[in-house]
Amino acid sequence: MGAGPAAGGEKPGPAGGGEKPGPAAVYDEGARPREVLTVLPAPEAVAVALSPAPPAADAANGRRVLRLTRVPGGPTGITEITDLSPAGGWVDPSPPFGQEVRYAALPLRDGRIDGPPVVSDVLLVAPDVSGLRSTTGRGRIEATWTEPSGALGVRAQLVGPAGPVGGAEVRTGALTATGLGVGAYVLRVRCRYRSPDGAVIESAGAEHPVSVDPWPTPVDRLDATAAHGSVRFSWSGGDDADVRLVAWPADPPEVGAELTDDPARPWPAPLPWAAGSGGGLVPPPGSVTRVSALAVLGPRAVAGPGLVVECPPAVAGARVERVGGGRARVTFDWPAEAGEVAATVEQDGASTVHRVVARSTYVREGLYVDVAPSAFSVTLSAAPRTPDAVVVPPPGGAVRVPADIAVSYRIVPGARRALRRGPSLLRVTLSCPGEVPADLPEFVLVARSGNGRDPVRPRTPTDGTTLLRIGGGTLSPGSPVELPVPSGLRPPYALRGFLLGEGAADVRLDEPSPTTLVVR
């Protein structure tokens, strides 16, 4: 704001009393261009400048600048301003906050007043806040500013698409508003000052436009389940977002951290793991990975929870065999640098982990696991070293053991008829947990003659005479098959049963005592 020279052709003396010009002082109003004294309020000062700037000759003579402070019911306060501005003009470093002032610039020549003053418009010293800025987040605006030292405080108002917003937290130099909807907002901040008559006045107010952008709903829970050499993830939250499973190259952000797309610091790509069965992912063997959820919506994302997935290295040379009594013996080649080895048994939909504490224990005691007659698989791996990790057995290291299908045979005495006993019977029984396979082997009974001496039991199916054949399709659990043993051979001879066919290796033959198989 500014004003021109004082009205009238008289040359006033300096305000508040001062020297009068000598008789040599002559004033030519027509020779002077019209000057305007502008004032520019700042948070802690007022800048005063003449426009146009005085010529160099005038500048050498200088100006005397006064501040005139209006005091209700009292004399006008006069303060001389002597601080010069580097940009030209003067600076009032301590204006009276909450009061009306004018500034007057008096031209000087040889230290004497040389013309009428140039007087500014009235200025109410009530500066606004400075440095008003804001940041936004998910349904949130945070604003900061700097208040002038003479302010009593501020009155902040946030106006949104639906009108004024209530519930914002206002504190010294800051505002926080949460629970906001998406849209454009305007923040208005007015400083409050005490006037000389005790009233409270406000500054014109500073306005700051700000927009609340859409953010994704964060993932609040992440779970993982390992099965069949893969891991399957599930989560809650992130309903309106593209949920990505990522591995941060360094420490992951705090859960709930709000992230924006930055080419200089891009978000990690989704896990590059291969797809496994049942929609799971297969981690690389020997890896330990912290997997985190990241909810993404356009250029914004919210960091979610994470968990550790470990896939220990596989163990070579695994062999498994049933040893009776509901147990199986597991042997393998001990992996280098492994502190422990874990054997995971999967049977009937359940998974059980057996650990060998150390190599010395394995060499001394071996590894035995409890199993049921049904089919099962054993996967060996170096034991995980990460506490609370979701452990995924490495793929390809499983040894599958078929169900304990057994064919037993016995030679039982024939039924007694009158004074003599009938021919001996071959009784063949099938024991099979679960469904009977279609490729059951054939059972054959072979006899080998002793030629008058103690007979030797047959060693192979062709080492003797085949007496009986029973096809695998005729056997069923709980229904033994009984056939009379042919009596055409001359005693003594030894009997023995064999299993023949492609499925013979998967079926256990339960043989009776050899002494019960010798016919004399």
Side-chain angles (χ1 to χ4, degrees), residues 365-376:
E365 302 176 3
L367 175 60
Y368 294 86
V369 296
D370 296 330
V371 293
S374 57
F376 67 94

Side-chain angles (χ1 to χ4, degrees), residues 17 19-20 34 64 89 109 148 175 180 189 204 237 248-249 253 272 282 343 357 386 405 420 424 433 465 516:
E19 298 180 353
K20 294 183 179 180
R34 178 173 175 80
R64 185 179 183 184
R109 183 185 296 276
L175 172 145
L180 304 177
V189 182
W248 293 91
V282 181
V357 176
T386 308
I405 303 175
R420 51 184 306 186
S424 299
T465 302
T516 65

Side-chain angles (χ1 to χ4, degrees), residues 85-113:
S85 170
W90 299 264
V91 175
D92 184 356
S94 54
F97 293 106
Q99 300 186 49
E100 291 183 342
V101 299
R102 281 178 182 265
Y103 291 88
L106 294 89
L108 299 178
R109 183 185 296 276
D110 298 329
R112 294 173 177 269
I113 296 174

Side-chain angles (χ1 to χ4, degrees), residues 355-370:
R355 285 191 175 179
V356 179
V357 176
R359 185 177 185 277
S360 58
T361 304
Y362 169 70
V363 172
R364 182 177 65 254
E365 302 176 3
L367 175 60
Y368 294 86
V369 296
D370 296 330

Side-chain angles (χ1 to χ4, degrees), residues 263-300:
R265 300 178 61 186
W267 305 326
L271 290 176
W273 297 351
S277 60
L281 298 176
V282 181
S287 64
V288 177
T289 309
R290 175 169 288 278
V291 180
S292 300
L294 184 67
V296 179
L297 183 63
R300 298 171 186 84

Side-chain angles (χ1 to χ4, degrees), residues 60 86 145 231 306-307 320 405 469:
W145 57 80
V231 57
L307 46 80
V320 183
I405 303 175
R469 291 180 179 270

Side-chain angles (χ1 to χ4, degrees), residues 2-408:
E10 296 183 359
K11 175 188 173 190
E19 298 180 353
K20 294 183 179 180
V26 179
Y27 308 104
D28 184 359
E29 292 295 331
R32 291 180 179 275
R34 178 173 175 80
E35 294 178 321
V36 176
L37 188 63
T38 60
V39 291
L40 181 64
E44 301 291 341
V46 174
V48 183
L50 273 172
S51 178
D58 254 5
N61 291 316
R63 293 287 193 280
R64 185 179 183 184
V65 177
L66 303 176
R67 185 218 306 145
L68 311 176
T69 304
R70 193 179 287 178
V71 179
T76 299
I78 301 175
T79 303
E80 184 170 0
I81 307 302
T82 59
D83 292 359
L84 299 179
S85 170
W90 299 264
V91 175
D92 184 356
S94 54
F97 293 106
Q99 300 186 49
E100 291 183 342
V101 299
R102 281 178 182 265
Y103 291 88
L106 294 89
L108 299 178
R109 183 185 296 276
D110 298 329
R112 294 173 177 269
I113 296 174
D114 187 35
V118 181
V119 183
S120 73
D121 287 335
V122 175
L123 170 68
L124 175 62
V125 183
D128 285 314
V129 299
S130 60
L132 179 56
R133 61 180 61 88
S134 66
T135 59
T136 63
R138 186 166 52 92
R140 184 183 73 256
I141 293 176
E142 294 184 359
T144 58
W145 57 80
T146 301
E147 300 175 12
S149 60
L152 299 176
V154 300
R155 182 168 66 90
Q157 183 184 43
L158 183 65
V159 179
V165 176
E169 178 191 355
V170 181
R171 53 199 183 278
T172 303
L175 172 145
T176 301
T178 57
L180 304 177
V182 174
Y185 293 78
V186 175
L187 174 61
R188 298 187 179 97
V189 182
R190 292 181 172 87
C191 292
R192 297 183 292 115
Y193 298 92
R194 182 77 64 185
S195 67
D197 60 1
V200 175
I201 60 174
E202 292 186 344
S203 64
E207 289 194 353
H208 178 71
V210 59
S211 295
V212 174
D213 299 308
W215 283 81
T217 302
V219 174
D220 51 45
R221 179 173 178 175
L222 178 64
D223 297 302
T225 304
H228 308 296
S230 65
V231 57
R232 185 166 186 171
F233 295 93
S234 60
W235 58 82
S236 60
D239 299 329
D240 59 351
D242 172 20
V243 178
R244 303 175 186 176
L245 300 176
V246 301
W248 293 91
D251 291 336
E254 293 290 332
V255 176
E258 297 168 350
L259 312 172
T260 54
D261 190 15
D262 182 0
R265 300 178 61 186
W267 305 326
L271 290 176
W273 297 351
S277 60
L281 298 176
V282 181
S287 64
V288 177
T289 309
R290 175 169 288 278
V291 180
S292 300
L294 184 67
V296 179
L297 183 63
R300 298 171 186 84
V302 179
L307 46 80
V308 177
V309 176
E310 181 174 358
C311 182
V315 177
R319 296 166 296 277
V320 183
E321 60 178 346
R322 295 181 187 267
V323 293
R327 307 191 77 196
R329 180 172 179 261
V330 182
T331 59
F332 55 89
D333 300 331
W334 190 271
E337 301 180 1
E340 296 181 359
V341 169
T344 303
V345 179
E346 293 188 9
Q347 187 175 37
D348 299 331
S351 180
T352 306
V353 178
H354 302 266
R355 285 191 175 179
V356 179
V357 176
R359 185 177 185 277
S360 58
T361 304
Y362 169 70
V363 172
R364 182 177 65 254
E365 302 176 3
L367 175 60
Y368 294 86
V369 296
D370 296 330
V371 293
S374 57
F376 67 94
S377 64
V378 177
T379 302
L380 296 171
S381 63
R385 297 175 178 265
T386 308
D388 302 324
V390 177
V391 180
V392 181
V399 177
R400 181 164 181 79
V401 179
D404 187 17
I405 303 175
V407 172
S408 62

